[in-house]
Amino acid sequence: ATLGGSFELLGKLFLDAASVIIDGGIDTSANKGSQTLSATHELQIKIGSELSAGTGTISLSAGMLIDTGGANLRSENITIADSDAVILGSLTTTGMLRLTDVGIVTQQSTTGITAKELVINSGGEVELGNTENDFDELTIASGGAVVVNDGVGDLCVINIDSMGSDVTLSTAGSMLLATHAITAVGAN
């Protein structure tokens, strides 16, 4: 399924196909509508595209690859699930950004992710190192190395478990670590 152009929907959007490509804009924010995009193979939201759900939720899932690349996603909550690899573009959520059952998580250069709460359950590496990122709370379970940069500051680390791989955290402001917040047994 390929969607091109811009759409303003009065309700919810649900797309399910082998491959989903968004090339334009989808706005369900006027009616607090949620957006669910699901692909058994690949979900790609092209550069310059924008998804906006206002106080609704944007949910993305794909069997192999989710690529939000240079797109802008804005919603109260954003959920990304069930993919071997995730490439994130600019995301803004006033609530939670949740990535579950995903593989490697990376970020397109020069993009920023803003989330009150970032929760990731990944079987691979997590690399969110851009200085444009702004997270309030961070919880990550990863099967590989973790790199997170909060370029705005004031980061609270609830829990990170890297399964023995390296963890690199940086912030422009203060960092608060919960008791036993980081588990990286055997890492450098």
Side-chain angles (χ1 to χ4, degrees), residues 1-7 20-26 44-51 71:
T2 300
L3 277 174
S6 293
F7 302 92
V20 175
I21 299 171
I22 305 294
D23 189 3
I26 300 174
Q44 181 181 15
I45 304 169
K46 292 195 168 199
I47 293 174
S49 296
E50 187 167 308
L51 302 182

Side-chain angles (χ1 to χ4, degrees), residues 150-176:
D150 181 341
V152 177
D154 298 334
L155 177 64
C156 178
V157 179
I158 305 299
N159 188 300
I160 296 178
D161 186 348
S162 68
M163 301 295 209
S165 296
D166 292 344
V167 174
T168 304
L169 302 174
S170 56
T171 182
S174 63
M175 186 181 307
L176 174 65

